[in-house]
Amino acid sequence: MAASSKETWSIDQAAGDVPGQWQRMLSETHLPWVTSIAPRPGQMFEARARRWWIDDLALVDCECGPCSGTRQRRQLASTDDEFVVVLITRAGRETVSQGGVDAELRPGDAVAWDSTRPARFTVGEPLSKRSLLIPRAALDEVSGRTWVRAGVALEGSSPATELLTSYLDVLSRSLDRLGPAAVTAARNATLELFIGAVRGDGEAAAGGTGTALRATMDRYIERHLLDQPVSATALAHAHGVSVRTVNRVFNATGQTVSEVVRVRRLARARDEVADGAASIATIATRWGFADSSHFSRAFKAHYGSSPTDYREAAGRGAPVHRPVARVQAPVGRPVETGATPVRS
């Protein structure tokens, strides 16, 4: 059985309230927005969306007519969790604004925006776009918090951006045929490709000496995840800096060394849980948790389900994205809006 399936939405002209349908559709698939339709004489506004789950990542394709939208205080408050959203323009043009940055997107261009900050968009002609919704917790597994800034544009001609967009093209065509282990691998590859695209022209351009040092330390952590302990003191000794410098570099992203190590170990343990070859107790011991109970509590807090439930879901081919990582607050009963999701 496949580990992921596609959901679809479309505007129902006969149901009326097309502006309301569009706002609810966009809010259900792309986080809460307040939208406005730009009517064209003699033409109806049309929109459709398709969503796949790549474990806890959501991949959404959308086509729509001219419109605009904003995310302000109320929409930010009604968004569950924190996300980074990668928007890739496939046809048409769109302007996305956040954090004082206005990104004019043409086909092939992309922008990453932050769910925790106000944003707005304007579509002036029929648009086809693809969005990748990434929970902040997932980015912590690949040190993405270090790199992602609100409103960062990804140049469409950049090889790293082309690699990401091409990979998502292939993934969208094959995702519903992949098994659970392959979906997990695809999810991890997606995160790595995204971070590679965000880094763009080099680590120094993203944040100077401190960012480059953090990248070096992150690589050290990856190589020594099975070592005990991976601490600020160990990092300082390995890189010839003070413990204070290590803490300053990690605190710049609101993290501590121990938090980063814990998340990375959970991510590697999660892969082994889904694989099903080793016992939960063995995995807990291998990845530095005191016992299976400690591991289960940490795993559930991060992924929304216990290791046992996660393994069972993966084993029977069910989607294993955590149910608490919804990308929006409730938006009403779909049957009343005409924008009804259909699982294929």
Side-chain angles (χ1 to χ4, degrees):
M1 181 184 297
S4 183
S5 57
K6 179 173 66 177
E7 301 164 294
T8 63
W9 289 256
S10 62
I11 294 292
D12 182 354
Q13 300 291 340
D17 188 21
V18 170
Q21 287 189 58
W22 169 234
Q23 179 165 305
R24 286 186 284 273
M25 182 195 304
L26 191 67
S27 295
E28 186 165 347
T29 57
H30 293 77
L31 308 180
W33 287 87
V34 173
T35 60
S36 175
I37 291 175
R40 292 181 295 169
Q43 296 190 31
M44 295 184 298
F45 178 85
E46 295 182 336
R48 61 187 60 86
R50 296 169 296 283
R51 179 170 67 191
W52 300 262
W53 287 100
I54 317 171
D55 199 0
D56 55 344
L57 316 182
L59 184 65
V60 183
D61 284 356
C62 181
E63 295 88 38
C64 68
C67 59
S68 61
T70 61
R71 277 176 57 81
Q72 299 298 332
R73 184 175 301 175
R74 178 172 294 182
Q75 290 73 47
L76 301 183
S78 63
T79 302
D80 294 341
D81 275 342
E82 297 181 6
F83 296 83
V84 169
V85 183
V86 188
L87 188 156
I88 303 165
T89 302
R90 308 180 74 190
R93 298 185 183 184
E94 180 176 15
T95 301
V96 177
S97 304
Q98 186 173 65
V101 177
D102 296 325
E104 301 281 347
L105 304 178
R106 301 184 179 214
D109 288 341
V111 66
W113 57 272
D114 185 346
S115 72
T116 65
R117 303 182 64 180
R120 67 179 186 275
F121 72 85
T122 303
V123 176
E125 60 187 72
L127 178 77
S128 175
K129 66 178 180 177
R130 169 167 287 159
S131 296
L132 177 67
L133 288 82
I134 307 174
R136 278 283 184 179
L139 286 176
D140 288 344
E141 298 176 13
V142 290
S143 68
R145 189 181 303 208
T146 311
W147 304 100
V148 179
R149 305 174 307 283
V152 60
L154 308 179
E155 179 61 44
S157 61
S158 163
T161 301
E162 289 182 349
L163 184 59
L164 173 64
T165 56
S166 298
Y167 177 78
L168 292 177
D169 282 340
V170 173
L171 192 57
S172 68
R173 295 194 297 269
S174 59
L175 188 58
D176 58 356
R177 302 192 304 274
L178 298 181
V183 170
T184 297
R187 177 254 193 198
N188 294 340
T190 300
L191 292 173
E192 294 287 357
L193 289 174
F194 167 62
I195 294 304
V198 170
R199 289 178 180 176
D201 294 330
E203 296 167 354
T209 303
T211 302
L213 180 58
R214 171 63 188 271
T216 302
M217 291 179 180
D218 282 331
R219 289 192 290 269
Y220 178 93
I221 290 173
E222 285 295 326
R223 293 194 303 269
H224 294 84
L225 274 177
L226 288 175
D227 298 347
Q228 296 291 340
V230 181
S231 62
T233 300
L235 284 170
H237 178 75
H239 295 87
V241 297
S242 67
V243 173
R244 176 178 295 181
T245 296
V246 173
N247 289 331
R248 175 176 53 79
V249 168
F250 280 82
N251 289 341
T253 57
Q255 300 166 296
T256 65
V257 173
S258 60
E259 287 171 346
V260 170
V261 171
R262 180 182 61 83
V263 169
R264 302 286 184 82
R265 285 177 173 161
L266 276 173
R268 304 303 172 265
R270 173 179 175 271
D271 293 343
E272 295 188 12
V273 168
D275 178 68
S279 69
I280 301 300
T282 298
I283 295 171
T285 300
R286 177 181 299 135
W287 292 104
F289 294 89
D291 51 43
S292 56
S293 295
H294 177 215
F295 173 58
S296 294
R297 289 193 299 272
F299 191 97
K300 187 170 185 178
H302 195 71
Y303 293 113
S305 66
S306 69
T308 300
D309 290 343
Y310 191 94
R311 171 172 285 180
E312 289 178 354
R316 64 175 183 269
V320 291
H321 57 270
R322 60 175 185 166
V324 297
R326 296 179 298 147
V327 296
Q328 78 290 320
V331 294
R333 297 173 58 190
V335 70
E336 297 175 352
T337 71
T340 305
V342 179
R343 184 179 295 274
S344 61

